[in-house]
Amino acid sequence: MRALYTAATGMAAQELNVQVISNNIANLRTTGYKKQRAAFQDLIYDHVRRVGSQASDQGTILPVGIDLGGGVKTVGTPRLMSQGTLSPTGNDLDIAIRGEGFFKIQMPDGTYTYTRDGSFMMDQQGRVVNAQGNPVQPTITIPQNSSQITINAQGQLTVMLPGSTTPTLVGQIGLTRFINKAGLQPIGDNLFVDTPASGTPQDGIANTDGYGDMQQSNLEQANVEVVSEISDLIAAQRAYEMNAKVISAADQMLQSTSNLFR
């Protein structure tokens, strides 16, 4: 019976939906995390009677047809790149982006990745790096014995050197943006890589030409809304249960039909 397979696609779709929601909730406290949602489309239809076809030799047209759907399919899990709340940390090398842009990170193999996670620190060479020890681009090295690290809205990093009374500029952290941010591919560790869908990376300076500004001693929180996720979870659970009831009802109907021919 067709209803069994149709309902099965519905259960599989809602199972995936719950997986996406659970990942959002799990990353509720992940710095710079961007939530996902599951997107679905209906499957191909079996057109038993096509709407608009000729119904008689006199030329009358069918005003409605008989179209039997095959169920549902998942077409994507798009990521919502809306701004997350900024949270003060008090750490000089924590940076939040307010607006457009990603931090650019150089990987050990020389390739680049992108992130909204600005929880940076210094390595043994004094370079500004992410949690995995990969340098932020352009590479900035903070001199030894320097103090009063300051990062302004444009990403300029200045320090006070011993014996100096004025701040010294040691580098500028850049930002990168994309035409289609949702086209970036997540690879874990709060990192993304560009794809043909995201468009070419566009490097620039914060707080200029449409790029966001930088907020020192702040971090961007995940843009996950707990109430919304719980509501979606309940709706997905109900939809799963309804599809399960359809399978149960279809099975009972098949059993009744079988009993008639015994």
Side-chain angles (χ1 to χ4, degrees):
M1 183 178 289
R2 185 192 301 267
L4 285 171
Y5 300 101
T6 301
T9 66
M11 293 180 69
Q14 294 310 316
E15 183 179 357
L16 184 143
N17 194 17
V18 170
Q19 173 61 35
V20 171
I21 295 170
S22 68
N23 188 56
N24 288 337
I25 295 175
N27 285 281
L28 182 62
R29 299 294 297 172
T30 300
T31 303
Y33 176 79
K34 301 302 179 184
K35 66 175 289 186
Q36 292 176 279
R37 64 177 179 84
F40 304 104
Q41 287 182 355
D42 50 354
L43 289 172
I44 193 169
Y45 285 81
D46 182 9
H47 303 288
V48 179
R49 295 182 66 188
R50 290 185 176 274
V51 60
S53 60
Q54 186 171 315
S56 68
D57 294 338
Q58 288 71 36
T60 54
I61 301 298
L62 289 175
V64 295
I66 301 176
D67 303 311
L68 300 179
V72 62
K73 65 179 178 179
T74 306
V75 293
T77 54
R79 195 171 295 272
L80 306 182
M81 292 291 189
S82 58
Q83 178 76 46
T85 303
L86 303 191
S87 177
T89 65
N91 186 353
D92 289 340
L93 287 179
D94 283 344
I95 312 170
I97 302 172
R98 185 173 60 182
E100 292 292 324
F102 292 81
F103 297 110
K104 188 176 184 178
I105 308 295
Q106 185 176 29
M107 304 302 286
D109 61 359
T111 60
Y112 297 105
T113 58
Y114 307 91
T115 184
R116 293 281 293 194
D117 181 1
S119 52
F120 301 134
M121 55 201 75
M122 285 188 291
D123 65 4
Q124 74 278 9
Q125 302 175 33
R127 298 180 303 172
V128 179
V129 298
N130 68 355
Q132 286 74 40
N134 300 314
V136 181
Q137 297 300 295
T139 303
I140 298 175
T141 301
I142 299 176
Q144 291 185 355
N145 302 322
S146 58
S147 60
Q148 298 182 26
I149 298 174
T150 303
I151 303 170
N152 66 11
Q154 291 186 331
Q156 294 176 333
L157 193 153
T158 60
V159 299
M160 292 294 293
L161 298 176
S164 176
T165 58
T166 58
T168 300
L169 177 66
V170 296
Q172 177 160 6
I173 299 172
L175 287 182
T176 303
R177 63 182 179 184
F178 300 86
I179 295 177
N180 176 27
K181 296 177 290 184
L184 293 170
Q185 179 180 339
I187 59 172
D189 295 330
N190 288 355
L191 299 174
F192 298 90
V193 293
D194 59 300
T195 69
S198 67
T200 305
Q202 302 172 13
D203 297 334
I205 299 174
N207 208 30
T208 61
D209 300 327
Y211 289 87
D213 60 72
M214 297 191 189
Q215 299 292 312
Q216 185 183 17
S217 300
N218 283 270
L219 288 176
E220 182 185 8
Q221 301 301 308
N223 63 349
V224 178
E225 298 178 0
V226 178
V227 174
S228 175
E229 295 300 320
I230 295 300
S231 298
D232 290 344
L233 180 60
I234 293 173
Q237 182 181 6
R238 295 292 179 266
Y240 187 93
E241 291 173 352
M242 292 175 67
N243 280 286
K245 289 181 179 179
V246 170
I247 290 180
S248 178
D251 180 55
Q252 291 178 10
M253 293 172 66
L254 284 173
Q255 290 181 3
S256 298
T257 303
S258 300
N259 291 335
L260 291 176
F261 294 96
R262 286 182 179 177

